[in-house]
Amino acid sequence: MSTIEDVAKLAGLSRTTVSRVLNDHPYVSDEKKKLVQQAMKHLGYVPNSAARSLRNQKTGIIAVLIPKISTPFFSQLIERLEMAASVKNYQLIICQTQFSKHKERSYLDLLKTKQVDGVIMTSCENDWSVIDEHLNYGPIVLCNEILEDGNIPMIYMDQFCSGYEVAKHLLEQGHSRIAYCSNGSQSIGMKARKRGFEAALAEAGHPFDDEFYFQHLSSITDGKQVFQQIKGLTNPPTAIFTGGDSVAAGLISEAKKHGWNIPVDLAVVGFDNMEITELMDPMITTVIQPVEEMAQKAIEVICEKIHKKQYRSYERHEFSSKLAIRESTMIKPRLVATS
Amino acid sequence: MSTIEDVAKLAGLSRTTVSRVLNDHPYVSDEKKKLVQQAMKHLGYVPNSAARSLRNQKTGIIAVLIPKISTPFFSQLIERLEMAASVKNYQLIICQTQFSKHKERSYLDLLKTKQVDGVIMTSCENDWSVIDEHLNYGPIVLCNEILEDGNIPMIYMDQFCSGYEVAKHLLEQGHSRIAYCSNGSQSIGMKARKRGFEAALAEAGHPFDDEFYFQHLSSITDGKQVFQQIKGLTNPPTAIFTGGDSVAAGLISEAKKHGWNIPVDLAVVGFDNMEITELMDPMITTVIQPVEEMAQKAIEVICEKIHKKQYRSYERHEFSSKLAIRESTMIKPRLVATS
DNA sequence: GTGAAAGCGCTAACAG
DNA sequence: CTGTTAGCGCTTTCAC
């Protein structure tokens, strides 16, 4: 492995000059520049990044903290983050926290060891004080998460608005008995979603009924179970916002097995716009998150922070969801059955 | 940010001793050891990883080259790779090649710049010569890919066997007119899968019919289109191996819309065991890949290579798939319809 | 057991 | 425009 010294010798110049060529500095004569470039090519020289990191005090690496990579939403987010980072010549280290406080903290320590220039958190298990302490070592930005009072950039979707729009849509379809599911998270975003949902109902004069509030649902199985609960009600809801596509799909699949007609007997709305939503019969009405925009903003913001070396600042970047209205909430005129 | 020097001063000792404590070297008196540890705690000292990398000539980072992160199979693979790497205290840099030869090569260069200790490729667009050249700088292992004649470790699934088992299962269900779909890849693995499929058919005395060979299918839309083709055939197949769950799901969804009964009119087998396979009605028979085992082996092998500093070696690690038999290929006695 | 000193490969003052 | 020099933070001979 050749070093800058080797290149310098071969070109008959000093390390400095080679370094200048390497970093596109001005004040190098074209003649010597060419000499250096030839020597580099000849030796197959590539600068050593550890040495550069040590000298420059930056690595060109950003850590992304993710609870679980294979979750469709998160894998899409990583994909977009990677694409945006790649444009700016940053590498991404992927850290799976598995919702563990401890793991999360140990990954934040990558800032202290200077293994990364910044951290993007897509969820946050620890208290603000933990984040705050790490801010002495580098920038942290939240993408897809909110933390009250934190003076760091936060990039997120307007959940109040998502909840509001879903409810509005269902109300417009003539529903008034509408169920709501949460995944159990008590995050600010989740609370906002519920508030938005309730607000629309209240406006329409159909205050939210706690009997229709189902909690801790996130999987397909959960969706199946929630159907069983609904089936058991004497006066069941006519529509449901499941808060997740897996739940919606599980619920629909189970409901169909029991002869229910979706959306006639029960209108269903999911969340995330996963692939299944277009595969199920009926296709599922769902909320589309602005993944690409959030990812791009997150990279943009963290790069700026790294550059400015100013890690604390109150910044909110809010994006809007879109509602994809599909068959699971739209009652169509029936086709005449051929017998 | 405090350095080893600061710790040494505070403890009234030399950098060497501090370093020894840091690296658990023997020959440090317990007394001084404690002194050092106190000083480290007091200063909140954490070793700088760039300096360590430079000095030790290793980074503790592995690059994973992936065509597209959000593909369910790949996101599962990344998840498992991350978990296995984390156990060995390695970080993973995720590089999305997007099937680009050029990007792939530039990521392989991370080995030259010493930004990573090794590379795991989950697909390979470049020729062997490109790989070979980079082997001068660090280990490369293939996980989920085969390259003829390459003298590097390759971890993969026995595709011949997968294809064989699928065909066998369909034959046992009484089918003889069985269609086969490929995603267009001409990789060794894909060829093996097809050979396995054909072998089973040949054994049963039902040689493969090229009329039933559909190519370049990978998406839901492709699945829908292939159904249209099948519907147009005068003498259509009674079973089909779609080579992918998305294709299978798209096909089934379209077939149902046209009143076909799956599996009675057409038995369908997917590939990958994605979530949808259990959500569709009927649930889809599919091939389960040994993702976890392959990921663990890949990490194990690359760590060993890094350790031994011997990058070239002919190694094959083959794993087996499992067939998950579900409703899309099993004709059940019909339930009596209540009218 | 412990410390002094050299050096991993690179960049940025500072001179000239 | 170019070179000399110091040093980023760490580990490791080699002495003592």
Side-chain angles (χ1 to χ4, degrees), chain A residues 18-81:
Chain A
V18 177
S19 173
R20 287 204 180 97
V21 173
L22 215 53
N23 296 286
D24 266 331
H25 279 217
Y27 308 128
V28 186
S29 68
D30 283 1
E31 179 201 358
K32 316 243 157 167
K33 196 169 187 168
K34 257 162 217 154
L35 232 50
V36 169
Q37 285 166 337
Q38 277 171 16
M40 295 201 304
K41 205 161 297 167
H42 186 75
L43 293 168
Y45 169 79
V46 178
N48 177 306
S49 53
R52 278 192 147 173
S53 297
L54 179 57
R55 180 62 233 225
N56 296 335
Q57 307 282 16
K58 57 199 189 70
T59 61
I61 304 180
I62 295 168
V64 177
L65 273 51
I66 295 261
K68 187 165 161 49
I69 295 169
S70 67
T71 308
F73 171 75
F74 285 126
S75 70
Q76 272 177 262
L77 187 56
I78 299 176
E79 173 164 314
R80 293 300 180 172
L81 286 169

Side-chain angles (χ1 to χ4, degrees), chain B residues 128-268:
Chain B
W128 169 250
S129 62
V130 175
I131 313 285
D132 194 49
E133 186 226 324
H134 285 85
L135 279 178
N136 297 318
Y137 306 99
I140 299 172
V141 329
L142 261 40
C143 180
N144 185 49
E145 178 71 290
I146 319 178
L147 224 57
E148 207 123 35
D149 307 322
N151 53 346
I152 54 172
M154 302 183 193
I155 288 114
Y156 57 89
M157 197 181 69
D158 183 348
Q159 295 273 2
F160 181 93
C161 197
S162 309
Y164 186 90
E165 279 188 358
V166 168
K168 195 88 181 173
H169 167 64
L170 291 170
L171 288 162
E172 279 166 6
Q173 297 295 308
H175 299 280
S176 58
R177 306 176 55 76
I178 309 176
Y180 184 92
C181 307
S182 92
N183 61 10
S185 157
Q186 282 303 307
S187 70
I188 297 178
M190 287 303 147
K191 285 181 190 158
R193 189 192 293 179
K194 182 153 180 277
R195 275 190 290 109
F197 182 83
E198 291 170 340
L201 258 58
E203 274 178 23
H206 299 298
F208 182 62
D209 184 345
D210 263 341
E211 189 195 6
F212 294 157
Y213 181 32
F214 302 97
Q215 277 173 287
H216 304 289
L217 308 176
S218 60
S219 68
I220 291 169
T221 315
D222 294 338
K224 294 185 177 178
Q225 280 169 5
V226 89
F227 170 74
Q228 295 298 341
Q229 290 183 51
I230 287 175
K231 195 167 65 95
L233 295 175
T234 44
N235 199 0
T238 62
I240 183 167
F241 179 23
T242 62
D245 287 334
S246 298
V247 177
L251 190 161
I252 290 177
S253 144
E254 192 73 4
K256 281 168 65 182
K257 276 187 192 147
H258 287 78
W260 285 41
N261 181 339
I262 308 290
V264 178
D265 299 327
L266 183 68
V268 180

Side-chain angles (χ1 to χ4, degrees), chain A residues 35-253:
Chain A
L35 232 50
V36 169
Q37 285 166 337
Q38 277 171 16
M40 295 201 304
K41 205 161 297 167
H42 186 75
L43 293 168
Y45 169 79
V46 178
N48 177 306
S49 53
R52 278 192 147 173
S53 297
L54 179 57
R55 180 62 233 225
N56 296 335
Q57 307 282 16
K58 57 199 189 70
T59 61
I61 304 180
I62 295 168
V64 177
L65 273 51
I66 295 261
K68 187 165 161 49
I69 295 169
S70 67
T71 308
F73 171 75
F74 285 126
S75 70
Q76 272 177 262
L77 187 56
I78 299 176
E79 173 164 314
R80 293 300 180 172
L81 286 169
E82 197 277 346
M83 286 162 81
S86 154
V87 171
K88 302 212 187 227
N89 282 309
Y90 272 91
Q91 308 289 339
L92 250 39
I93 281 187
I94 301 296
C95 310
Q96 206 162 209
T97 64
Q98 288 164 152
F99 297 104
S100 142
K101 257 184 156 75
H102 174 72
K103 281 205 156 215
E104 189 174 284
R105 227 174 321 128
S106 81
Y107 285 131
L108 283 172
D109 283 345
L110 291 174
L111 280 177
K112 289 195 191 176
T113 62
K114 297 278 172 216
Q115 192 151 78
V116 303
D117 295 339
V119 171
I120 295 175
M121 301 180 73
T122 64
S123 82
C124 183
E125 300 298 320
N126 284 282
D127 300 331
W128 168 250
S129 61
V130 175
I131 313 287
D132 193 49
E133 186 226 323
H134 285 86
L135 278 178
N136 297 318
Y137 307 98
I140 299 171
V141 328
L142 261 39
C143 180
N144 184 50
E145 178 71 291
I146 319 178
L147 225 55
E148 207 122 36
D149 307 321
N151 53 346
I152 54 172
M154 302 184 193
I155 287 113
Y156 57 90
M157 196 182 69
D158 184 348
Q159 295 272 4
F160 181 93
C161 198
S162 309
Y164 185 89
E165 278 187 358
V166 168
K168 195 89 181 171
H169 166 64
L170 291 171
L171 288 162
E172 280 166 5
Q173 297 296 307
H175 299 281
S176 57
R177 306 175 55 76
I178 309 177
Y180 184 92
C181 306
S182 91
N183 61 10
S185 156
Q186 282 303 307
S187 71
I188 297 178
M190 287 303 147
K191 284 181 189 158
R193 189 193 292 179
K194 183 153 180 276
R195 276 190 290 109
F197 181 82
E198 290 170 340
L201 257 60
E203 272 178 23
H206 298 298
F208 182 62
D209 184 345
D210 264 341
E211 191 196 5
F212 295 157
Y213 182 31
F214 301 97
Q215 277 173 287
H216 305 289
L217 308 176
S218 61
S219 68
I220 291 170
T221 315
D222 295 338
K224 294 186 176 179
Q225 279 168 4
V226 89
F227 171 75
Q228 295 299 342
Q229 290 183 50
I230 287 175
K231 196 166 64 96
L233 296 175
T234 45
N235 198 1
T238 63
I240 183 166
F241 179 23
T242 62
D245 287 334
S246 298
V247 178
L251 190 160
I252 291 176
S253 143

